[in-house]
Amino acid sequence: MIKPGTPRGFRDFGPNEMAGRDFIFNTIKDVFRLYGYQPIETPAMELISTLTGKYGEEGDKLMFRVLNSGDFLQEAREKGIDFGNHLELGKYIAEKGMRYDLTVPFARFVVEHYHELNFPFKRFQIQPVWRADRPQKGRYREFYQCDVDVIGSDSLFYEFELISVITDIFERLGIHVSIRLNNRKLLMAIAESVQAAGRFSDLTIAIDKLEKIGLEAVVSELAAKGFSPASLSEINEILQFNATDNIEKLRFIEEKAGHTPSGKEGIAELREILGYCSKSPKNIPLEIDLKLARGLNYYTGAIIEVKAKDVEIGSICGGGRYDNLTGVFGLPGLSGVGVSFGADRIYDVMKNLSLFPHSADVSAEVLIVNFGEEEAAHAISLLADLHGAGISAEIYPETAKLKKQFSYASAKKIRFVMLAGKDEIAQNIYGLKDLSSAMQYQMSLPEIIHFIKKSNA
Amino acid sequence: MIKPGTPRGFRDFGPNEMAGRDFIFNTIKDVFRLYGYQPIETPAMELISTLTGKYGEEGDKLMFRVLNSGDFLQEAREKGIDFGNHLELGKYIAEKGMRYDLTVPFARFVVEHYHELNFPFKRFQIQPVWRADRPQKGRYREFYQCDVDVIGSDSLFYEFELISVITDIFERLGIHVSIRLNNRKLLMAIAESVQAAGRFSDLTIAIDKLEKIGLEAVVSELAAKGFSPASLSEINEILQFNATDNIEKLRFIEEKAGHTPSGKEGIAELREILGYCSKSPKNIPLEIDLKLARGLNYYTGAIIEVKAKDVEIGSICGGGRYDNLTGVFGLPGLSGVGVSFGADRIYDVMKNLSLFPHSADVSAEVLIVNFGEEEAAHAISLLADLHGAGISAEIYPETAKLKKQFSYASAKKIRFVMLAGKDEIAQNIYGLKDLSSAMQYQMSLPEIIHFIKKSNA
């Protein structure tokens, strides 16, 4: 018999990985809730018509499609479709596709439930998505996205609020980050000021590759796209500019591109956001980054990207303002802003820097040794009291050698082993061994509960 | 443009439903953890070879299959498969299927990770599953299962432990239940004692339908399957027997079927489990139910089913002991026991009986009214202090009419509205309106924090 496995690019998560992942998800959710964001969930499968055409050609190719139930060939047969052509046949045998991101389902959700929602609608959504990408190190076919968005308001206060959310989350996780901020309107202003407004998309796509391919390659890509030598020299100067001070960066770009309408708006927006940040008592690691472009083309205002300072791993959070997310589903004019946290990369950063707290790893806190039938019967009420006090505890299920019971505890990272033999039961004083220190104590049950709770604090 | 929707049988969950669902999932997880169970997750997609043949013919039909990526017809073309036959073609164009339950993936997980696991392995798993069932009221194509199992021990202490877990969970949820317990070995003993051991499966399948179709129909089904009149009269007597006392029930079945080896074992096992329950300080609503059969054929020992007392909705939790879950993947001899909680039905019960606590419904606790630019700037530090104290709070994003800001709060079920205008800021004394009582207070920020925390306690 062949040993069974998962499909390529798919993963199991055992208890240790789950402990770390839950710590991340819970931290993220706690902060989202603190700011008044509410959870929603959408189905794993959407109608293929909801998904196709929303992610470009690449997305349509990488989308997982679900075979129709029953005789899936019937419709194609009736319509006389060419069974030899998979692209053609594919349209008739799979009417559902797997969730590819959380943005398109959210847009569909907002349009479908428009009249039940209270705007501005502040939602978060933490669910897996599926992409038939070629699996490689750090890239999987199933991974979680953690999205937080507010839709139905163009107040820039929400840009600040999300920057605040990001600050709190990474502070709680213990990851040092830099939060980079730019505005699509400034990129537009650059395009305008070099008389290339019509090539805005070429410009952002090229700049987005800056870190990957370097300045020289970006400039030659733009040259190939038809940017003039004069405009290239201007763009080159902007991309080479460096300053540590956000205000100085704004002054520089104002000089370069502040005379166009987009430039004026973009600078005013960044100033307003910086203004809010300056009122915050938090130490917000915000950096204006005039070279930040973001790949997705639905962003229309502020764009945000977060990087870990102590690990080279790319962006661990990113997002921005979009003015027309729901337009594609027939509901124009709803502005929103949101960011998405990359749980898998955050996990890798925390693992790499050993940032997971010990408590994330706990299975049970107490194992009661099983000394025999009578002692186990007594342990039932000890367990009820420990559970009642919120202490996770279990008894070894049979009367095995002490060594075996202790190694079960240590393999499961259970810190305390409780000894409740005949003598202990008679005296109501139990043995408690702390496996982390090898210290052993004799205490009553209330004392044990108090002691364990204190050790956790 | 057509208003977009979800595929038939699939659901969105908005903030209100999510609040209730999270309350259920968190309660279940908290109790699982208290008893030392650890989470795992398996992928949404498994290799089709892992899934097929594990759920009977019906299961193979209802399983969602995922179309291979790229030219999915290539293999079928090369092998000269008949493209007109969907059953045949289906085998070559879809190598992955969607998770159909959590039991088979768990068995695959245990076999694949056998050497990394610590036995007895106590795991829980809360994930959605997908079935292409005909959608109807209360039956969906995507729904969550919450499974808890211990594998690698045949100790009956775990049957008791799971009964204890069930008791705690429904007590915390506020649902009055009866936990019904039987043993497959007693059903085998009945079959043996009427000389129909070879028809054990027919017997359990028929008895499993008892509540649905009634005693008469069960007896005629058994007659049709070839049970003799004498055996039918015996079975009839057993199924009609009623007593309120568990010990009396055991005595009755001992008399009827206790002379066979299976009967002896089954009775001894139930006695041991009842013995543990009698030592528990908890009030365990356990009922021996000699008519309980459970549909699935992998159960070999104790079987458990839980029903809500105050709502007619069928089983909301069930499971049992299985002796050979992983045998199908080449690893025989691992005994386990587990139960599964039906989150959707539990949600319906709680909704029906209005059991969700108010706190499950909270979006944010405080809305700060936006009086203008300067006041909003001041609110930024108020928000930081509220968040720091663990109080969820937000500010209305723009200077709108008070009425609009208050209706935002009340639509979002935000209880407290905080007024921080110029005068309040100057005096450091803020207005706080409790929308639940319409009372209004004047307090400093520390007083407000204290007041809100007290209101939550």
Side-chain angles (χ1 to χ4, degrees):
Chain A
M1 190 162 278
I2 298 160
K3 196 173 160 183
T6 55
R8 227 161 56 92
F10 289 82
R11 295 167 289 172
D12 287 325
F13 296 111
N16 287 339
E17 288 144 309
M18 283 298 291
R21 292 172 66 84
D22 277 349
F23 179 75
I24 293 170
F25 289 132
N26 290 336
T27 302
I28 289 176
K29 276 189 220 171
D30 284 350
V31 174
F32 288 170
R33 286 183 201 276
L34 262 190
Y35 284 82
Y37 289 83
Q38 296 182 288
I40 73 159
E41 281 185 9
T42 62
M45 298 177 201
E46 294 277 354
L47 291 171
I48 205 84
S49 56
T50 299
L51 299 177
T52 44
K54 310 300 189 301
Y55 305 103
E57 221 176 288
E58 182 77 354
D60 287 352
K61 234 170 60 190
L62 298 184
M63 203 172 286
F64 281 112
R65 289 152 198 260
V66 180
L67 204 54
N68 294 345
S69 304
D71 182 0
F72 55 84
L73 289 172
Q74 195 180 338
E75 192 189 347
R77 209 182 282 123
E78 282 166 10
K79 292 202 169 142
I81 301 305
D82 174 10
F83 277 29
N85 181 338
H86 76 273
L87 289 175
E88 204 41 36
L89 184 61
K91 292 179 196 159
Y92 296 91
I93 65 176
E95 65 170 29
K96 288 183 286 293
M98 300 297 294
R99 191 165 53 218
Y100 188 81
D101 76 352
L102 303 179
T103 306
V104 169
F106 176 50
R108 196 262 311 140
F109 178 95
V110 168
V111 175
E112 189 173 346
H113 303 281
Y114 186 74
H115 294 290
E116 309 149 36
L117 300 177
N118 184 30
F119 291 97
F121 180 52
K122 299 169 78 172
R123 88 88 170 79
F124 71 86
Q125 188 171 356
I126 299 182
Q127 292 192 279
V129 301
W130 295 271
R131 296 183 185 176
D133 246 319
R134 187 173 297 278
Q136 50 175 257
K137 195 178 172 304
R139 194 204 281 159
Y140 305 98
R141 292 185 153 182
E142 174 179 57
F143 56 96
Y144 270 77
Q145 292 193 333
C146 311
D147 279 23
V148 60
D149 292 80
V150 51
I151 194 162
S153 165
D154 50 18
S155 167
L156 295 170
F157 190 87
Y158 287 127
E159 271 82 345
F160 159 69
E161 183 171 271
L162 290 173
I163 289 168
S164 216
V165 163
I166 292 168
T167 305
D168 284 7
I169 285 174
F170 288 113
E171 195 181 297
R172 286 184 184 209
L173 293 176
I175 302 177
H176 298 117
V177 296
S178 81
I179 305 174
R180 303 183 191 192
L181 175 70
N182 197 10
N183 196 306
R184 273 286 174 97
K185 288 173 185 166
L186 290 183
L187 294 169
M188 176 52 103
I190 294 171
E192 284 168 358
S193 75
V194 301
Q195 274 80 48
R199 297 209 187 89
F200 172 61
S201 171
D202 288 340
L203 183 70
T204 54
I205 288 171
I207 296 183
D208 191 42
K209 298 181 193 157
L210 193 57
E211 286 202 14
K212 223 190 234 162
I213 65 176
L215 180 57
E216 215 169 306
V218 168
V219 172
S220 21
E221 182 172 323
L222 289 174
K225 294 279 180 187
F227 281 73
S228 71
S231 66
L232 287 177
S233 126
E234 182 77 6
I235 291 168
N236 200 33
E237 193 192 336
I238 294 171
L239 295 181
Q240 276 196 312
F241 175 77
N242 217 340
T244 48
D245 185 61
N246 288 330
I247 304 293
E248 198 183 326
K249 287 179 194 166
L250 275 187
R251 234 181 268 131
F252 168 78
I253 195 70
E254 185 162 30
E255 197 181 287
K256 286 290 169 193
H259 53 282
T260 76
S262 309
K264 277 193 185 59
E265 277 183 42
I267 288 161
E269 290 184 5
L270 287 183
R271 286 225 165 96
E272 187 173 339
I273 298 167
L274 283 181
Y276 292 130
C277 290
S278 72
K279 305 285 188 231
S280 170
K282 289 186 224 294
N283 186 8
I284 298 178
L286 190 70
E287 233 179 82
I288 298 283
D289 181 356
L290 301 172
K291 300 185 289 291
L292 180 64
R294 302 276 307 154
L296 293 169
N297 59 17
Y298 55 73
Y299 293 122
T300 50
I303 43 180
I304 297 170
E305 205 164 272
V306 182
K307 291 200 170 171
K309 280 184 169 159
D310 306 323
V311 183
E312 278 289 340
I313 201 167
S315 154
I316 54 178
C317 173
R321 161 81 56 183
Y322 41 83
D323 273 346
N324 196 15
L325 188 68
T326 54
V328 70
F329 294 119
L331 183 69
L334 265 189
S335 182
V337 56
V339 295
S340 181
F341 291 78
D344 287 285
R345 281 194 182 167
I346 293 173
Y347 181 91
D348 289 345
V349 170
M350 295 195 59
K351 186 95 186 162
N352 195 305
L353 301 175
S354 303
L355 293 176
F356 288 115
H358 171 70
S359 64
D361 220 20
V362 162
S363 56
E365 292 165 278
V366 180
L367 176 75
I368 301 184
V369 169
N370 192 329
F371 283 114
E373 213 177 302
E374 260 177 64
E375 292 89 339
H378 178 79
I380 288 173
S381 68
L382 297 178
L383 286 169
D385 286 338
L386 289 165
H387 293 162
I391 294 169
S392 57
E394 56 180 292
I395 181 173
Y396 196 79
E398 58 203 52
T399 318
K401 285 196 176 132
L402 268 188
K403 200 182 156 205
K404 192 173 176 192
Q405 302 196 38
F406 270 86
S407 44
Y408 173 82
S410 84
K412 218 177 152 182
K413 297 182 188 161
I414 296 176
R415 178 166 165 194
F416 296 103
V417 174
M418 188 169 162
L419 300 143
K422 281 203 176 52
D423 293 350
E424 283 91 349
I425 293 171
Q427 297 167 31
N428 268 321
I429 296 288
Y430 306 96
L432 187 76
K433 184 152 186 178
D434 182 343
L435 298 189
S436 74
S437 66
M439 293 286 283
Q440 187 153 340
Y441 309 89
Q442 302 291 323
M443 288 187 273
S444 70
L445 184 61
E447 285 167 339
I448 286 176
I449 288 172
H450 182 75
F451 182 79
I452 293 174
K453 293 202 145 228
K454 227 180 51 191
S455 314
N456 287 339
Chain B
M1 190 162 276
I2 298 160
K3 196 174 158 182
T6 56
R8 226 162 55 92
F10 289 81
R11 296 167 289 173
D12 286 325
F13 297 110
N16 287 339
E17 289 145 307
M18 283 297 291
R21 291 172 67 84
D22 277 348
F23 179 75
I24 293 170
F25 289 132
N26 289 337
T27 303
I28 288 175
K29 276 189 221 173
D30 284 349
V31 175
F32 288 170
R33 286 184 201 277
L34 262 190
Y35 284 82
Y37 289 84
Q38 296 181 290
I40 72 160
E41 280 185 10
T42 62
M45 297 178 201
E46 293 277 352
L47 291 171
I48 206 85
S49 57
T50 298
L51 299 176
T52 44
K54 309 300 189 300
Y55 305 103
E57 221 176 290
E58 183 77 352
D60 286 351
K61 233 169 60 191
L62 298 184
M63 202 171 288
F64 280 112
R65 287 152 200 260
V66 180
L67 204 54
N68 294 345
S69 303
D71 182 1
F72 55 83
L73 289 172
Q74 194 180 340
E75 192 190 347
R77 209 182 282 122
E78 282 166 10
K79 292 203 169 143
I81 301 304
D82 174 10
F83 277 30
N85 181 338
H86 71 95
L87 288 175
E88 202 45 31
L89 184 61
K91 291 179 195 160
Y92 296 91
I93 65 176
E95 66 171 28
K96 289 183 284 294
M98 300 296 295
R99 192 165 53 218
Y100 189 81
D101 75 352
L102 303 179
T103 307
V104 169
F106 176 50
R108 196 262 311 139
F109 177 95
V110 169
V111 174
E112 189 173 346
H113 303 281
Y114 186 75
H115 295 289
E116 308 149 36
L117 300 176
N118 184 29
F119 291 98
F121 179 51
K122 299 169 78 172
R123 89 84 171 80
F124 71 86
Q125 189 171 358
I126 299 183
Q127 292 191 280
V129 301
W130 296 271
R131 297 183 185 176
D133 245 321
R134 187 173 297 278
Q136 50 176 260
K137 197 181 170 302
R139 194 204 280 162
Y140 304 98
R141 291 184 155 185
E142 174 179 56
F143 56 96
Y144 271 78
Q145 293 192 332
C146 311
D147 279 23
V148 59
D149 293 79
V150 51
I151 194 162
S153 166
D154 50 18
S155 167
L156 295 170
F157 190 88
Y158 287 127
E159 270 83 344
F160 159 68
E161 183 171 90
L162 290 173
I163 289 168
S164 215
V165 163
I166 293 168
T167 304
D168 284 6
I169 286 175
F170 288 112
E171 196 182 295
R172 286 183 184 210
L173 293 176
I175 302 177
H176 298 117
V177 297
S178 81
I179 305 174
R180 302 182 191 193
L181 175 70
N182 197 10
N183 195 305
R184 272 287 173 95
K185 288 173 184 166
L186 290 183
L187 294 169
M188 177 51 102
I190 294 172
E192 284 168 357
S193 76
V194 301
Q195 273 80 48
R199 297 209 188 86
F200 173 60
S201 172
D202 289 341
L203 183 69
T204 53
I205 289 170
I207 295 182
D208 191 42
K209 299 182 193 157
L210 193 57
E211 287 203 13
K212 223 191 236 162
I213 64 175
L215 181 56
E216 216 167 307
V218 168
V219 171
S220 18
E221 181 173 322
L222 288 174
K225 292 281 182 189
F227 280 73
S228 71
S231 67
L232 288 177
S233 124
E234 181 77 5
I235 291 166
N236 200 32
E237 194 192 335
I238 295 171
L239 295 181
Q240 275 195 313
F241 174 76
N242 217 339
T244 48
D245 186 62
N246 287 330
I247 304 294
E248 197 183 325
K249 286 179 196 166
L250 275 188
R251 232 180 268 131
F252 168 79
I253 195 70
E254 184 162 32
E255 198 180 286
K256 285 291 170 194
H259 52 283
T260 77
S262 309
K264 277 194 184 60
E265 277 183 43
I267 288 161
E269 290 184 6
L270 288 184
R271 286 224 165 96
E272 186 173 339
I273 298 167
L274 283 181
Y276 292 130
C277 290
S278 72
K279 305 284 189 232
S280 170
K282 289 186 225 295
N283 187 7
I284 299 177
L286 189 71
E287 233 179 78
I288 298 283
D289 181 356
L290 301 172
K291 301 184 289 290
L292 179 64
R294 302 274 309 152
L296 293 169
N297 59 17
Y298 54 72
Y299 293 122
T300 50
I303 43 181
I304 297 170
E305 204 163 274
V306 182
K307 291 202 168 170
K309 279 185 169 159
D310 306 323
V311 183
E312 278 288 339
I313 200 168
S315 154
I316 53 178
C317 173
R321 160 89 44 190
Y322 42 83
D323 273 346
N324 196 16
L325 188 68
T326 55
V328 70
F329 293 118
L331 184 69
L334 264 190
S335 182
V337 56
V339 295
S340 182
F341 292 77
D344 288 284
R345 282 194 181 167
I346 292 173
Y347 182 91
D348 290 345
V349 169
M350 295 194 60
K351 186 96 186 162
N352 195 305
L353 302 174
S354 303
L355 293 176
F356 288 115
H358 171 69
S359 64
D361 221 19
V362 162
S363 55
E365 292 164 279
V366 179
L367 177 75
I368 301 184
V369 169
N370 193 328
F371 283 115
E373 214 177 301
E374 262 178 62
E375 293 89 339
H378 178 80
I380 287 173
S381 68
L382 297 178
L383 286 169
D385 286 338
L386 289 165
H387 294 161
I391 294 170
S392 56
E394 55 181 293
I395 181 173
Y396 196 79
E398 58 204 53
T399 318
K401 284 198 177 132
L402 267 188
K403 201 182 155 203
K404 194 175 176 194
Q405 302 196 38
F406 269 86
S407 42
Y408 173 82
S410 84
K412 219 178 149 179
K413 298 183 188 160
I414 296 176
R415 179 166 165 193
F416 296 103
V417 174
M418 189 169 162
L419 300 141
K422 281 202 176 51
D423 292 350
E424 284 91 348
I425 294 172
Q427 297 168 30
N428 268 321
I429 296 289
Y430 306 96
L432 188 75
K433 184 153 186 177
D434 181 344
L435 298 189
S436 74
S437 66
M439 294 286 283
Q440 187 153 340
Y441 308 89
Q442 303 290 324
M443 288 187 273
S444 70
L445 184 61
E447 285 168 340
I448 286 176
I449 288 172
H450 182 73
F451 182 79
I452 293 173
K453 293 203 147 226
K454 228 179 52 192
S455 313
N456 287 339

